[in-house]
Amino acid sequence: MKLSISYLSMEKRTDEEMNKLNQTNADYIHVDIMDGRFVKNQTEDDDQQIAWLREAQKPLDIHFMVKNVNKYIDLYECLKPEYITFHVELDKQINIPKICERLHQAGIKVGLAIKPNTALGKLNPYLDMVDLVLVMSVEPGKGGQTFLPQSIARIKRLKMLASTHHFVVEVDGGIHNITSLQCKQAGADMIVVGSYITNHDDYQHQIDSLTL
């Protein structure tokens, strides 16, 4: 199971903190982008964030919690992320197949995120178009929440579908040393971990305590 570190809960975005992320053995850096519309919170100035992320030495795993997906692709594709993920709940407002095609043409893998209370069936029309499905195991928009137990059944179901449709199952929200094991046993391919790692001085020590 791969690890993507979310820095959403970090108090500071300094070169020193980026260096600490770069020195871990994590597989990805997870980037949460919020517009204050799709979720209540809003991320900091995009130009500042992009400048800081240019120092990342790990592949970027970007999660858009935004309504205007194309606008944010315009902003962030310059970072050449490995994944850009956006929400399936926007299916009535945006053209999901067209965005998938745009990202693939740019050499970026496509992820679709799904909120805890959204039926998994909403993903069905798009499973052959995406490279990753992000299971939100908390309500999106704020770090430090508690893992929702019903997420385990959703991970198991998606892992079954992945055997036919060939996508990565990623899980984000409330993940620590105990829930990481539960995610792995359920079949997750990748987990996103934030405050459990970044609220401590020794990032690698916290990573080593996870079941990956």
Side-chain angles (χ1 to χ4, degrees):
M1 191 166 62
K2 293 186 176 181
L3 169 65
S4 192
I5 298 182
S6 171
Y7 61 85
L8 182 65
S9 58
M10 277 184 181
E11 292 184 8
K12 299 177 289 184
R13 307 279 194 277
T14 63
D15 291 345
E16 180 183 359
E17 294 302 308
M18 178 58 79
N19 189 47
K20 285 174 67 175
L21 289 175
N22 286 333
Q23 288 181 355
T24 69
N25 64 1
D27 301 285
Y28 296 91
I29 293 176
H30 186 85
V31 181
D32 286 308
I33 307 297
M34 300 172 285
D35 63 357
R37 298 173 63 214
F38 184 76
V39 293
K40 289 182 180 180
N41 290 337
Q42 186 168 0
T43 42
E44 61 198 60
D45 179 82
D46 291 300
D47 290 337
Q48 290 182 0
Q49 177 135 289
I50 288 167
W52 188 68
L53 288 167
R54 287 188 189 279
E55 303 304 315
Q57 296 173 12
K58 297 183 182 295
L60 299 179
D61 165 34
I62 299 181
H63 175 200
F64 289 153
M65 289 172 270
V66 304
K67 286 193 171 183
N68 190 340
V69 175
N70 279 303
K71 169 189 170 183
Y72 284 89
I73 293 173
D74 290 341
L75 287 169
Y76 283 89
E77 66 181 341
C78 65
L79 293 171
K80 297 180 170 54
E82 182 160 339
Y83 290 99
I84 284 181
T85 296
F86 56 97
H87 273 264
V88 71
E89 291 84 6
L90 296 168
D91 64 333
K92 303 299 184 187
Q93 304 166 49
I94 62 175
N95 187 328
I96 289 179
K98 191 170 182 179
I99 292 175
C100 291
E101 183 181 6
R102 174 186 175 178
L103 289 171
H104 282 143
Q105 287 179 347
I108 299 169
K109 295 176 183 176
V110 179
L112 271 184
I114 187 163
K115 292 181 179 183
N117 294 320
T118 301
L120 291 181
K122 202 170 185 69
L123 293 163
N124 289 344
Y126 313 111
L127 291 179
D128 286 327
M129 304 176 194
V130 302
D131 306 286
L132 177 148
V133 171
L134 173 56
V135 178
M136 293 303 302
S137 45
V138 298
E139 281 298 322
K142 186 175 71 172
Q145 299 181 66
T146 301
F147 184 90
L148 295 170
Q150 61 265 36
S151 306
I152 296 300
R154 291 163 73 83
I155 296 166
K156 290 178 178 178
R157 175 59 182 157
L158 284 166
K159 188 62 177 179
M160 291 175 61
L161 292 169
S163 64
T164 303
H165 298 282
H166 311 295
F167 55 83
V168 169
V169 178
E170 183 179 34
V171 188
D172 182 5
I175 298 183
H176 46 68
N177 57 328
I178 296 171
T179 51
S180 66
L181 174 59
Q182 294 172 341
C183 289
K184 183 173 184 176
Q185 290 173 335
D189 301 297
M190 177 157 49
I191 54 173
V192 178
V193 184
S195 56
Y196 181 78
I197 295 172
T198 59
N199 283 356
H200 296 264
D201 289 332
D202 189 339
Y203 292 173
Q204 190 59 53
H205 178 269
Q206 292 301 108
I207 292 170
D208 291 341
S209 71
L210 297 167
T211 300
L212 296 174

